[in-house]
Amino acid sequence: MTEEIAEMSPLAAVTSGEPSPGRKVFIKTYGCQMNVYDSSRMSDALAADGYVPTDVMDEADLVLLNTCHIREKASEKVYSALGRLRQMKRQRTSEGREFMIGVAGCVAQAEGEEISRREPSVDVVIGPQTYHRLPDALKRARKGERVVDTDYAVEDKFEHLPSISAPRGKARAVTAFLTVQEGCDKFCTFCVVPYTRGSEVSRPVAQIVAEAERLAGEGVRELTLLGQNVNAWTSAGPKGERWGLGDLLYRLAEIPGIARLRYTTSHPRDMDDRLIEAHRDLRMLMPYLHLPVQSGSDRVLKAMNRRHNAHEYIALIDRIRAARPDIALSGDFIVGFPGETEADFEATLELVRRVGYAQAYSFKYSSRPGTPGADLPDHVDEEVKSERLARLQELLLMQQNRFAASCVGKTIDLLLEKPGRNPGQLIGRSPWLQSVNVDAKTSQIGDIINVRITATGPNSLFAEVA
Ligand code: 5AD
Ligand code: SF4
């Protein structure tokens, strides 16, 4: 999943149990879209307990960090944020006011007790599988207990959280995430996800359809199905037959109001025939696919335990493109995996040239304690990693710019999403997940209109109504 930082302030209000009325929560989200989704679920669970979300940290009675553990830098950010929160807590406590600190997400899951040991000002440490127990954990913490709850209670999580409410922020949300799958059984040797998120668990069809219908009822037009390994999703269909993600997409395509579908993140090994057929048959399945490959060297792919080689990946891309010729591809890459030689790295550049990406994320390998990669010999020097990353990013950026430029002059469907920078302008989403600026009225948010792309900007495109 792509790494970005978001701050959530959903406005849900369901009441139950012994509430904490009037208290305010500030949630800071690190990492992937799964965390963004989880933050909104936590916010909903807290709203049920009387908490009101705030965008202003100074107003909060509870600050919750929803953390990411994927690379070392991501985890470090958490401890520096906790240092600042400790100061705030000292100040607040001296004023006789409540100020609680919670750590959620993957660092919580991976480090558990260690967090409260390193940073005793933390009141609650809660893992991704137990968010529905957050209100209870806070009650215990208020009585002086230092709570660490990182059990694997996967079967409960989806059921116990209150139903999500769509509008997140000021404008009516027309796009939404929907988690259909969690965890990963792939065990790539660089990755902590199988340890922090546990093994693959799929949500049942009925739960997914019900949540999709509710979102559609609230005005959502575009759904992005989420999972660490989303295309490994599998569950029983209505007649008890085995369904894969392709089958689920055909089913969701029938929901009135939903006009667009996407999913992320996928593993090449789980792109089955049915899913490729869905790309061929379903116009509403957007022509954009994030399909990480990590490396173009068969030797490195083997050491990474990716279970596919470069040739198989390229053959797969060719089949997907044959099914949906206008599909844009996105990927993840790691440079400097232990043992990676210059020749291995050049094989990655070669694969990138062969595939042609519209968008990509690339990282220097970061050794994660507890993963098999950490114990491999021949770790690559930081300088070599930096130099390779720069070369790879130059190539990827060139491809990204080329893709954006190729859109100019095209007439496309644009989903109008939110107000733009200037009055009278809206920002919409292209089928290829680009932000597009166009002159339109606020009342048109949620509409899909025909526009012609006129120019490219640094991070977005410009269009006029066709
Ligand atoms: N070091 C560098 N990048 C990593 N990723 C996952 N683990 C590591 C690591 N240890 C990258 C992969 C993955 C993306 C989410 O993060 O490219 O696809
Ligand atoms: Fe990590 Fe590999 Fe699983 Fe992706 S497929 S979450 S990289 S172990």
Side-chain angles (χ1 to χ4, degrees):
M1 292 208 169
T2 59
E3 191 181 330
E4 42 191 51
I5 294 178
E7 280 153 31
M8 302 297 307
S9 60
L11 305 160
V14 201
T15 22
S16 77
E18 312 150 44
S20 318
R23 288 191 169 95
K24 290 188 177 167
V25 56
F26 177 92
I27 305 183
K28 172 110 181 142
T29 308
Y30 300 87
C32 66
Q33 289 96 333
M34 182 72 79
N35 268 8
V36 173
Y37 177 88
D38 279 349
S39 286
S40 62
R41 301 299 299 245
M42 280 192 277
S43 187
D44 288 353
L46 288 169
D49 194 45
Y51 272 94
V52 180
T54 174
D55 290 337
V56 187
M57 199 192 278
D58 273 337
E59 286 181 355
D61 307 283
L62 166 66
V63 173
L64 208 50
L65 305 181
N66 192 8
T67 61
C68 173
H69 199 238
I70 197 96
R71 286 167 292 274
E72 196 180 355
K73 248 196 208 154
S75 322
E76 274 168 9
K77 278 188 205 158
V78 175
Y79 285 102
S80 52
L82 285 177
R84 291 191 296 275
L85 289 173
R86 186 199 325 129
Q87 312 284 339
M88 274 182 81
K89 186 168 183 168
R90 199 172 292 152
Q91 174 69 28
R92 289 290 193 85
T93 315
S94 72
E95 294 163 6
R97 289 167 65 195
E98 177 174 301
F99 188 74
M100 296 178 95
I101 304 174
V103 179
C106 294
V107 176
Q109 188 63 44
E111 297 187 6
E113 304 268 356
E114 177 63 19
I115 298 174
S116 8
R117 244 197 309 275
R118 257 180 85 171
E119 197 48 75
S121 59
V122 172
D123 300 280
V124 171
V125 175
I126 193 153
Q129 311 305 340
T130 48
Y131 290 157
H132 53 285
R133 299 209 286 255
L134 189 53
D136 178 57
L138 291 168
K139 261 166 228 150
R140 282 157 57 201
R142 244 173 244 135
K143 290 183 191 139
E145 190 182 337
R146 208 171 287 151
V147 184
V148 177
D149 186 352
T150 53
D151 284 355
Y152 272 112
V154 193
E155 67 293 345
D156 298 333
K157 176 181 159 173
F158 291 128
E159 282 171 25
H160 287 180
L161 287 167
S163 29
I164 198 161
S165 50
R168 315 235 151 271
K170 292 90 208 162
R172 178 166 74 96
V174 297
T175 62
F177 291 128
L178 200 171
T179 294
V180 301
Q181 183 277 341
E182 266 213 71
C184 180
D185 296 339
K186 298 289 184 295
F187 290 93
C188 299
T189 54
F190 51 82
C191 186
V192 289
V193 167
Y195 311 97
T196 51
R197 291 282 178 160
S199 53
E200 289 172 2
V201 179
S202 295
R203 261 177 114 171
V205 175
Q207 250 188 46
I208 297 170
V209 170
E211 187 165 335
E213 283 173 346
R214 186 170 50 245
L215 291 167
E218 289 171 3
V220 168
R221 308 294 320 275
E222 180 179 299
L223 273 184
T224 302
L225 309 184
L226 284 186
Q228 260 97 27
N229 233 297
V230 71
N231 58 344
W233 178 89
T234 182
S235 191
K239 297 189 195 91
E241 71 281 32
R242 194 188 150 276
W243 270 20
L245 189 68
D247 302 294
L248 179 65
L249 287 163
Y250 281 97
R251 173 66 188 88
L252 295 176
E254 292 168 8
I255 295 178
I258 298 298
R260 290 176 160 196
L261 294 168
R262 304 178 185 274
Y263 59 91
T264 199
T265 288
S266 303
H267 191 287
R269 277 289 290 257
D270 293 319
M271 290 300 301
D272 62 14
D273 293 346
R274 185 74 172 147
L275 186 51
I276 297 176
E277 275 167 34
H279 279 284
R280 182 194 63 201
D281 296 344
L282 297 174
R283 284 295 101 186
M284 61 192 290
L285 180 55
M286 289 294 99
Y288 182 94
L289 179 62
H290 184 68
L291 196 61
V293 65
Q294 315 296 355
S295 168
S297 152
D298 289 346
R299 229 173 51 81
V300 173
L301 287 168
K302 195 162 185 347
M304 287 177 163
N305 190 32
R306 287 290 293 178
R307 307 170 201 212
H308 60 77
N309 59 32
H311 172 76
E312 286 161 343
Y313 179 83
I314 289 169
L316 175 62
I317 297 289
D318 288 347
R319 282 176 58 215
I320 296 167
R321 282 194 164 134
R324 185 78 200 240
D326 62 342
I327 203 156
L329 290 161
S330 157
D332 289 345
F333 299 89
I334 295 177
V335 301
F337 186 76
E340 185 189 74
T341 62
E342 175 63 22
D344 291 320
F345 173 67
E346 277 165 21
T348 301
L349 295 178
E350 197 42 47
L351 179 140
V352 171
R353 282 187 210 105
R354 170 68 170 78
V355 173
Y357 289 90
Q359 167 74 43
Y361 304 90
S362 46
F363 313 98
K364 289 193 264 186
Y365 172 71
S366 165
S367 179
R368 307 307 285 128
T371 60
D375 299 328
L376 288 175
D378 303 324
H379 279 251
V380 175
D381 284 348
E382 249 353 85
E383 286 132 66
V384 176
K385 284 186 202 169
S386 301
E387 184 261 341
R388 287 181 188 163
L389 186 67
R391 280 157 69 198
L392 176 61
Q393 290 187 337
E394 188 184 277
L395 175 61
L396 290 168
L397 185 64
M398 197 263 294
Q399 293 193 341
Q400 198 175 313
N401 290 339
R402 194 165 59 195
F403 177 75
S406 76
C407 295
V408 175
K410 277 188 188 153
T411 301
I412 63 159
D413 283 341
L414 189 67
L415 170 59
L416 299 174
E417 202 186 350
K418 55 191 174 196
R421 203 169 283 246
N422 305 316
Q425 274 190 345
L426 294 182
I427 297 175
R429 255 189 207 196
S430 82
W432 305 291
L433 212 52
Q434 298 141 306
S435 292
V436 181
N437 304 281
V438 67
D439 288 340
K441 293 193 288 285
T442 312
S443 60
Q444 288 176 280
I445 289 177
D447 292 354
I448 295 176
I449 63 167
N450 221 235
V451 302
R452 205 176 65 82
I453 306 291
T454 53
T456 61
N459 293 308
S460 60
L461 301 173
F462 297 88
E464 58 191 21
V465 177

